[in-house]
Amino acid sequence: MSDLTHLNAKGEANMVDVSEKAVTTRTAWAEGYIQMSAETLALIASGEHAKGDVFAVARIAGIQAAKKCSDLIPLCHPLMLTKVQVDFELQVEQNQVRIETMCRLAGKTGVEMEALTAASVTALTLFDMCKAVDPAMVISGIKVLEKQGGKSGHWTRD
């Protein structure tokens, strides 16, 4: 494992200098899950939830979150994202929604934190919109699935 790059020689917090890194296309995918009651999942799937299209609101929240990642995570670089995507998969047998996010840019630093932030805030927004009918929902499994680009190349979760 390499040395920690977010600490300087004195052990102080340090934003990494990426000015000498090459600009490459960088993409990251992340996922998360929100488990809920069968009734709540049915409300969402049918579009009959009292708050309307919760997926549309959660998708916008996830996209906005990716764009604001550097405002939330102290040492993240502000990035010019060229693509943010948020997708949903209803997993009826598990009473859950799988969230998958993708972030892309042409830049000098990766977009894993943006993809993770998008997945997290998307799940939090689903929770917020459905908590009145199902306060026992559980958010879990937020992780990076894959990343491409940069010096480290292509990485995929086993």
Side-chain angles (χ1 to χ4, degrees):
M1 181 166 281
S2 63
D3 294 335
L4 297 175
T5 58
H6 287 75
L7 299 176
N8 66 16
K10 296 179 186 176
E12 301 164 334
N14 175 56
M15 187 174 187
V16 176
D17 183 357
V18 297
S19 43
E20 298 302 317
K21 292 176 87 176
V23 172
T24 64
T25 299
R26 297 162 185 263
T27 309
W29 292 264
E31 75 175 357
Y33 296 85
I34 182 163
Q35 191 170 33
M36 59 193 65
S37 70
E39 295 78 17
T40 303
L41 189 60
L43 278 175
I44 292 171
S46 68
E48 295 176 9
H49 192 287
K51 291 191 177 182
D53 187 349
V54 298
F55 285 142
V57 175
R59 178 175 283 116
I60 292 168
I63 292 167
Q64 285 297 109
K67 292 165 45 176
K68 292 291 194 178
C69 185
S70 67
D71 292 336
L72 301 169
I73 312 292
L75 300 177
C76 281
H77 293 84
L79 301 179
M80 292 293 296
L81 296 169
T82 58
K83 176 73 175 170
V84 179
Q85 184 171 324
V86 177
D87 293 312
F88 302 99
E89 176 189 343
L90 276 69
Q91 298 181 336
V92 177
E93 277 122 32
Q94 294 87 15
N95 292 326
Q96 66 185 12
V97 175
R98 178 180 176 268
I99 300 157
E100 184 173 324
T101 62
M102 183 275 292
C103 292
R104 179 175 295 135
L105 60 63
K108 297 182 176 200
T109 186
V111 290
E112 300 90 13
M113 294 311 301
E114 288 71 16
L116 288 166
T117 300
S120 300
V121 172
T122 299
L124 289 168
T125 302
L126 287 173
F127 189 100
D128 182 51
M129 294 196 70
C130 298
K131 69 183 183 272
V133 295
D134 191 357
M137 292 175 289
V138 175
I139 295 169
S140 65
I142 294 172
K143 60 185 165 280
V144 174
L145 299 173
E146 184 176 355
K147 69 183 206 84
Q148 295 177 347
K151 187 171 77 172
S152 61
H154 188 190
W155 176 87
T156 303
R157 179 171 295 283
D158 294 335

